[in-house]
Amino acid sequence: MRTRIIANGVRTDHPIPQLPFVDDSILDLNDRVQIENIGRNKGEGLWGREDLTSGVEGGWRAFTTIPSHPNLAWVVKHHPHHGNVVVLVDDDDAADEYMAEPETALIRRYGGYWWDGDSWHRSTPRIDPVTWQSVHEPVPSARSVTARELMLSYPEHDQPAEPMRVEEIAADYRKNGLPKKLPPMDYWVRHDLPVWLNARPNPADADRAVVTLTAPELDPASMLTTKDVAARAGVTESTVRAYRARGQMPDPQIEQPTLWSVPVIERWLARRSADETPEPQLSEAETILTTIGYEISGVLNGRRNRRRSKPEVARAVGQILDRYTLGLTEDRYYGAELHATYMAKDMKKALEDTSFLRGFADRTMKHLILLAEAQPRTARAALQRMTDKLIGEGYNRDEILKRTLSHSYLSSRPDLRDWITAAVTPA
């Protein structure tokens, strides 16, 4: 899902093109805990969180709701060698932007193409048919474009102004929402980039600031229109537009006009074809989980649903889960049985093969932590059911608990370690 990114923080090291720069002095960019604590538990609807970035030693990310403007949030991603990315987002999208996969992605451009500090990768991963792991493909002949290059391309610059204040952009966002059309690149470089550069302690930062990329597959002349995609998919153009509205296909690489890169569409069509023919070895629970995922994705990603309140989204998702779980569990809490099935699958792999993973898979631990923070009673029921499933298959309760608590994501969370211990230990 594409999140609603409203502006760049003025101290970001890699600006998103065509977005304004906003004063981010409320954030201590050297202290992820300070960022989390700005909003966490400070009032109704306010929240914050911080985590280390898996796969990047010294990397971390954090987000916080802005207490004075609770419909907005700051998200910060830190790389030990490439600095910080600071963005202002709609608070409803903060968790999605914060948890976006893969964790190693520092910036995203062109509808999801991402850069990890070393290379660019395509937005849609390939799924390995043997391991079912996502394989992120590098973009052939990709080249990063820096802020300095853009400024040299448009040499006439305005006098630098002060960055916008959060109050200004919050008032405009409440009134108008996201702009229907972004300013042209030349206007942004001449008017906005001087604001950013003026706030930099070192003018040479412009040489290191990665703004976007170029690649042969992103040349508009070689990309696919809605009509082209419809022809390749064997559907009408209106069907393609419906897929987009429901979040059932990749975002376009260019919005105006709407264009997709050929590799992204080819990968989507291959996956779509596979999804339309379910693999016979899928268990009933796995098939249900896949179906639920598609339905929830439609609720969360549909453009007309973007402005739903959190309670409205929660009810809509709950109705989907309820529809599928009524026949699977007598538990009153939505999805406990399905959460347990999901988590037990990865834990079983770890218990069977210690070389595979020492504890939960990372994705499953993220799932559990988010569930524990958002729906603790459901999470507790799921943990207990997961443990019962594994004990029923001959595994030892103490070993299950030991492997769970050994996960690196819990090393700085004694509260969750205690909570998990209590949940899976008999009274």
Side-chain angles (χ1 to χ4, degrees), residues 140-406:
S141 304
R143 187 181 71 83
S144 296
V145 178
T146 67
R148 178 72 68 200
E149 288 180 77
L150 286 175
M151 297 185 83
L152 291 175
S153 299
Y154 306 103
E156 296 180 8
H157 304 139
D158 295 347
Q159 287 296 317
E162 291 297 313
M164 294 181 70
R165 292 179 295 112
V166 169
E167 289 76 13
E168 296 175 80
I169 205 156
D172 183 67
Y173 185 60
R174 278 196 304 271
K175 182 179 179 181
N176 301 312
L178 285 177
K180 291 183 173 61
K181 192 173 182 180
L182 294 174
M185 182 68 84
D186 61 338
Y187 176 87
W188 181 76
V189 173
R190 291 172 175 143
H191 176 74
D192 290 288
L193 262 188
V195 175
W196 172 80
L197 189 60
N198 188 55
R200 310 298 298 180
N202 184 355
D205 288 348
D207 299 307
R208 296 185 286 269
V210 173
V211 177
T212 187
L213 77 151
T214 62
E217 65 192 58
L218 295 173
D219 178 355
S222 67
M223 297 173 76
L224 303 175
T225 64
T226 302
K227 182 177 181 180
D228 298 328
V229 173
R232 290 189 177 220
V235 298
T236 64
E237 291 181 56
S238 61
T239 299
V240 172
R241 286 189 282 270
Y243 285 154
R244 277 197 66 194
R246 295 195 296 262
Q248 293 176 332
M249 67 178 298
D251 283 328
Q253 276 54 70
I254 297 176
E255 290 277 2
Q256 299 166 349
T258 304
L259 296 172
W260 286 267
S261 73
V262 172
V264 165
I265 290 301
E266 287 180 343
R267 181 66 62 215
W268 170 64
L269 290 174
R271 183 75 180 272
R272 176 172 170 262
S273 176
D275 288 340
E276 288 175 350
T277 309
E279 295 288 342
Q281 67 268 27
L282 287 179
S283 69
E284 181 182 1
E286 290 168 328
T287 303
I288 292 170
L289 283 168
T290 301
T291 305
I292 288 176
Y294 279 120
E295 291 209 23
I296 291 177
S297 176
V299 168
L300 298 181
N301 297 350
R303 289 186 181 277
R304 62 185 175 184
N305 295 321
R306 289 286 182 87
R307 294 191 176 278
R308 283 186 175 186
S309 68
K310 288 180 179 178
E312 289 172 334
V313 171
R315 280 195 296 273
V317 171
Q319 288 168 0
I320 293 171
L321 289 173
D322 194 26
R323 199 160 63 243
Y324 284 99
T325 59
L326 278 176
L328 298 176
T329 174
E330 296 178 358
D331 194 277
R332 293 173 56 193
Y333 311 123
Y334 291 135
E337 177 71 17
L338 293 177
H339 291 304
T341 301
Y342 176 78
M343 293 188 293
K345 184 179 174 185
D346 276 340
M347 177 58 89
K348 185 177 178 182
K349 290 181 184 176
L351 290 163
E352 290 176 344
D353 181 3
T354 56
S355 66
F356 172 74
L357 190 67
R358 293 182 180 276
F360 271 160
D362 289 350
R363 63 181 181 182
T364 307
M365 183 53 77
K366 285 184 204 170
H367 175 83
L368 173 60
I369 292 173
L370 284 174
L371 187 65
E373 292 182 337
Q375 300 176 36
R377 296 173 75 185
T378 303
R380 184 183 181 91
L383 263 175
Q384 292 167 343
R385 288 168 180 267
M386 179 209 78
T387 305
D388 290 343
K389 285 174 180 287
L390 294 170
I391 290 174
E393 295 188 25
Y395 296 105
N396 180 275
R397 184 186 300 273
D398 291 338
E399 181 66 7
I400 295 168
L401 179 61
K402 178 182 176 182
R403 291 293 178 84
T404 305
L405 298 179
S406 69

